[in-house]
Amino acid sequence: KKISQLPPYHPAWKYVNSRKIPPIYHAIFRWNPSFMEWTNSLIPGKFSKDALKHDEGRIVIPFFNTHNHFFAYTGRSLSPMAEVRYITIVLNDEELLLFGTNKVDITKPIKVVEGPIDSTFLNNCIALAGSNINSLTKLAPSDTFILALDNEPRASETKHKITRAIDQGFRVVIWPDNIKEKDINNMVLAGYSPDHIEY
């Protein structure tokens, strides 16, 4: 079911609303009560019988390509005890594993964030969703993109990503010191408007 079709007391509805995810995505994000079982109906044997014993409901974040064809999805667990919070399933590995390519204009600057949820707050924005930065150039030239990676200034991996991106001709965002939040969603929750974050 679409998140928008769930009752207000449903945990998935509560989660999506608590994160202030824009309403337009409430009809795009879904809820599946048996994520692994459903995945096995699409990719037989993807999850073993042992794994199915730990099946649970997850919010489903669908990926669409530039032609608006569904080709992958991420399942977001709501359980604080989940060993794996996000599980991404790819139905067609010939597609670029980028979230949001169906809704961007490649003739304009494209903002790039790390997570699909973060991308829902910004205009003309896609999410890497774990993909390598190099995959972006299969969509458009490197100078089309503005990388706004998570705000982790002391993380060596983040520093390395930013340095590599600059060397490859990407524009990058260096978050100012007064921004303490880790990502776009947390900035919104802290009271920053998406317009303020963009400009």
Side-chain angles (χ1 to χ4, degrees):
K1 283 189 174 182
K2 299 175 183 178
I3 298 300
S4 58
Q5 295 174 319
L6 299 173
Y9 56 79
H10 194 285
W13 189 95
K14 288 182 176 180
Y15 175 82
V16 167
N17 280 273
S18 73
R19 302 303 300 186
K20 296 187 177 181
I21 294 170
I24 190 173
Y25 288 93
H26 296 194
I28 297 173
F29 290 7
R30 310 294 176 110
W31 170 254
N32 192 291
S34 303
F35 180 81
M36 292 182 183
E37 183 180 341
W38 175 64
T39 296
N40 276 6
S41 74
L42 300 175
I43 308 175
K46 178 66 175 178
F47 291 102
S48 68
K49 288 184 178 179
D50 284 343
L52 288 172
K53 294 175 184 177
H54 306 285
D55 201 0
E56 62 176 344
R58 286 176 178 259
I59 292 172
V60 175
I61 303 172
F63 287 57
F64 300 93
N65 66 11
T66 54
H67 301 292
N68 223 35
H69 295 148
F70 172 58
F71 73 92
Y73 55 94
T74 291
R76 206 288 184 191
S77 173
L78 297 179
S79 171
M81 306 300 291
E83 289 186 17
V84 182
R85 186 178 296 176
Y86 292 93
I87 297 176
T88 297
I89 304 295
V90 178
L91 303 173
N92 183 353
D93 58 13
E94 292 183 3
E95 298 285 356
L96 288 175
L97 190 58
L98 298 169
F99 177 82
T101 58
N102 61 313
K103 59 183 178 63
V104 293
D105 181 347
I106 63 172
T107 68
K108 298 178 180 178
I110 299 173
K111 302 170 192 75
V112 181
V113 295
E114 296 195 39
I117 289 177
D118 289 330
S119 75
T120 67
F121 297 97
L122 304 180
N123 294 313
N124 218 45
C125 184
I126 62 176
L128 287 168
S131 293
N132 192 293
I133 291 170
N134 293 335
S135 64
L136 295 170
T137 56
K138 296 177 182 178
L139 181 65
S142 57
D143 61 3
T144 306
F145 302 99
I146 303 169
L147 272 61
L149 303 179
D150 286 353
N151 183 25
E152 300 173 309
R154 292 179 179 80
S156 58
E157 185 179 347
T158 300
K159 290 179 183 177
H160 179 65
K161 279 184 185 178
I162 290 174
T163 301
R164 192 172 68 231
I166 292 171
D167 289 344
Q168 293 175 355
F170 292 98
R171 289 177 284 175
V172 302
V173 171
I174 305 295
W175 296 105
D177 291 340
N178 64 305
I179 299 292
K180 305 301 180 185
E181 292 72 28
K182 177 180 175 289
D183 56 33
I184 303 290
N185 193 186
N186 284 331
M187 292 174 201
V188 171
L189 294 176
Y192 293 97
S193 71
D195 285 345
H196 179 81
I197 295 168
E198 287 205 48
Y199 302 107

